[in-house]
Amino acid sequence: EDKVVQSPLSLVVHEGDTVTLNCSYEVTNFRSLLWYKQEKKAPTFLFMLTSSGIEKKSGRLSSILDKKELFSILNITATQTGDSAVYLCAAHYNTDKLIFGTGTRLQVFP
Amino acid sequence: DAMVIQNPRYQVTQFGKPVTLSCSQTLNHNVMYWYQQKSSQAPKLLFHYYDKDFNNEADTPDNFQSRRPNTSFCFLDIRSPGLGDAAMYLCATSRPLEKLFFGSGTQLSVL
């Protein structure tokens, strides 16, 4: 069965902390790994990763993919209250299917 | 701006009364997806179209149907909504194997 699993399910930190979110996948004909941020609305795109070992970075957020071990991490440094959200990992596979993981709920307190 | 637009934002229907949710896009993307998202859960893929080719997920109930009359529009029909079908329904589009663009979603309530 194709699946994407994220950990932890929930994370509570203080502003300024650094967090690492994990995503593992088992899908047929893997194509790419995507990260989305979801607040109280539709998911917004963060990163798309297709190659192992190449870090993608956007401000305080960064992500990397390991295609040998079938996982990805999303790092957020110097967290802010505005980073509070559910972070979704998704795997693109076969020709155009995309399935999401369970999500990690991040809460950042002042 | 090019967009994925879902109507309505909120839909209330009665138990067993058919309902149709709509999605349109101005991005001219080949692929259109429908996801169901229940409270505190990840979006679950119901089906997707690659152009006119329809791809149904194995565990999508028969109660859910979809139509894509042209590139721009896609509809989700729920033939006999049950209480368990209350959820956020998300439409998304993409070019093949590229990132998905999501609409704002339709929140469906079943009374």
Side-chain angles (χ1 to χ4, degrees):
Chain A
E1 182 192 347
D2 300 309
K3 61 181 178 181
V4 177
V5 178
Q6 292 184 245
S7 64
L9 290 181
S10 179
L11 201 49
V12 180
V13 300
H14 289 289
E15 271 192 320
D17 289 351
T18 293
V19 297
T20 297
L21 310 182
N22 303 295
C23 174
S24 64
Y25 61 91
E26 287 182 44
V27 298
T28 312
N29 295 325
F30 172 80
R31 304 292 189 171
S32 62
L33 194 290
L34 293 88
W35 285 95
Y36 283 84
K37 177 182 181 181
Q38 187 174 30
E39 297 166 273
K40 293 184 188 297
K41 48 189 177 179
T44 54
F45 174 77
L46 295 174
F47 298 109
M48 181 166 134
L49 304 152
T50 54
S51 301
S52 269
I54 299 174
E55 184 183 56
K56 292 218 171 178
K57 199 169 169 59
S58 176
R60 297 175 294 101
L61 277 66
S62 64
S63 185
I64 197 161
L65 175 67
D66 185 329
K67 290 169 75 172
K68 183 180 175 188
E69 299 297 330
L70 309 182
F71 79 89
S72 173
I73 59 171
L74 174 69
N75 281 318
I76 309 175
T77 59
T79 51
Q80 302 171 356
T81 54
D83 294 327
S84 297
V86 174
Y87 290 84
L88 295 164
C89 164
H92 227 152
Y93 65 108
N94 285 337
T95 51
D96 43 47
K97 290 182 69 165
L98 185 131
I99 58 170
F100 285 89
T102 45
T104 293
R105 181 175 297 277
L106 175 65
Q107 292 176 280
V108 182
F109 288 98
Chain B
D1 287 348
M3 296 277 286
V4 181
I5 301 164
Q6 290 188 245
N7 284 305
R9 286 295 305 276
Y10 300 92
Q11 175 75 58
V12 181
T13 191
Q14 291 179 328
F15 183 94
K17 185 175 181 181
V19 65
T20 295
L21 311 182
S22 71
C23 177
S24 65
Q25 56 138 338
T26 59
L27 298 161
N28 205 33
H29 284 168
N30 302 86
V31 193
M32 292 188 80
Y33 303 80
W34 279 105
Y35 288 88
Q36 178 194 63
Q37 187 174 28
K38 296 186 176 180
S39 183
S40 302
Q41 295 184 23
K44 178 181 180 299
L45 181 63
L46 295 173
F47 22 62
H48 72 284
Y49 282 90
Y50 189 128
D51 294 325
K52 286 194 176 291
D53 291 335
F54 176 69
N55 299 272
N56 196 31
E57 291 302 294
D59 57 355
T60 297
D62 292 339
N63 198 25
F64 290 83
Q65 305 284 315
S66 184
R67 296 170 282 136
R68 188 179 185 186
N70 54 52
T71 301
S72 301
F73 286 89
C74 195
F75 300 97
L76 171 61
D77 300 308
I78 309 176
R79 292 192 296 189
S80 182
L83 298 178
D85 297 328
M88 172 75 80
Y89 289 87
L90 294 166
C91 172
T93 75
S94 76
R95 290 196 176 90
L97 301 179
E98 294 188 7
K99 68 180 183 182
L100 271 63
F101 292 78
F102 283 87
S104 300
T106 293
Q107 183 68 51
L108 177 68
S109 299
V110 181
L111 304 179

